[in-house]
Amino acid sequence: MMKLVVAVLTVLMSMVLFGCQSSIIAEDYESDVYTEEQLAAAVNVITDTFANDFPQCTLQEIEYDEDYSESLEEMNKEMYAVDNAVVFTSTFVVDDDYESGPLNAGMVYEDYEWTLTMDADGNWTLITCGYQ
């Protein structure tokens, strides 16, 4: 558990150093399927994607609810042809002066989904993000 908190804090510190806005609340993710390290690696994929693809936005929270993720398992199998997709949700805020894309300036986006899959080597790939 402590390793996950350290990993999330490490990501947060590197985001601050490299200019990505973030005030993520570190979560203790629990899973019967994935290790803390595996979930921390998935969070890294999400934060890296957010830093690159969501300018003028501030990531506030990333959550993992295994029951919720598993409830989407059949849909993800059908839509993405994968057996091991996981779903995280996040909350982020769009800056008031945002002008660079499809989001609404000044809005808070809650329960924004991030669907990832892990390959046999333990590497995560983001399949999709958004509202389903």
Side-chain angles (χ1 to χ4, degrees):
M1 203 56 80
M2 185 57 144
K3 289 180 184 178
L4 178 60
V5 172
V6 170
V8 170
L9 290 175
T10 301
V11 170
L12 293 176
M13 290 303 298
S14 44
M15 290 172 70
V16 168
L17 290 173
F18 296 108
C20 176
Q21 296 184 30
S22 179
S23 58
I24 299 174
I25 298 168
E27 296 285 334
D28 290 331
Y29 304 111
E30 294 185 19
S31 173
D32 294 329
V33 179
Y34 300 101
T35 66
E36 291 175 13
E37 292 81 11
Q38 289 170 326
L39 294 175
V43 169
N44 286 339
V45 171
I46 294 167
T47 56
D48 288 349
T49 301
F50 190 88
N52 291 324
D53 297 345
F54 290 74
Q56 296 180 281
C57 296
T58 304
L59 186 57
Q60 293 185 315
E61 183 175 41
I62 298 174
E63 296 181 272
Y64 176 69
D65 179 334
E66 191 156 279
D67 291 336
Y68 178 70
S69 184
E70 288 177 350
S71 75
L72 301 173
E73 188 173 338
E74 288 303 315
M75 180 188 71
N76 287 329
K77 281 182 183 180
E78 289 178 25
M79 290 180 69
Y80 308 114
V82 296
D83 290 325
N84 59 346
V86 298
V87 178
F88 286 78
T89 57
S90 67
T91 300
F92 65 92
V93 179
V94 181
D95 291 353
D96 289 334
D97 60 349
Y98 175 84
E99 296 178 357
S100 60
L103 302 173
N104 296 315
M107 293 294 296
V108 175
Y109 287 78
E110 296 177 325
D111 298 322
Y112 192 87
E113 293 182 357
W114 303 83
T115 305
L116 302 95
T117 187
M118 186 175 66
D119 66 20
D121 294 325
N123 300 308
W124 291 98
T125 302
L126 180 66
I127 299 172
T128 189
C129 61
Y131 293 111
Q132 295 187 34

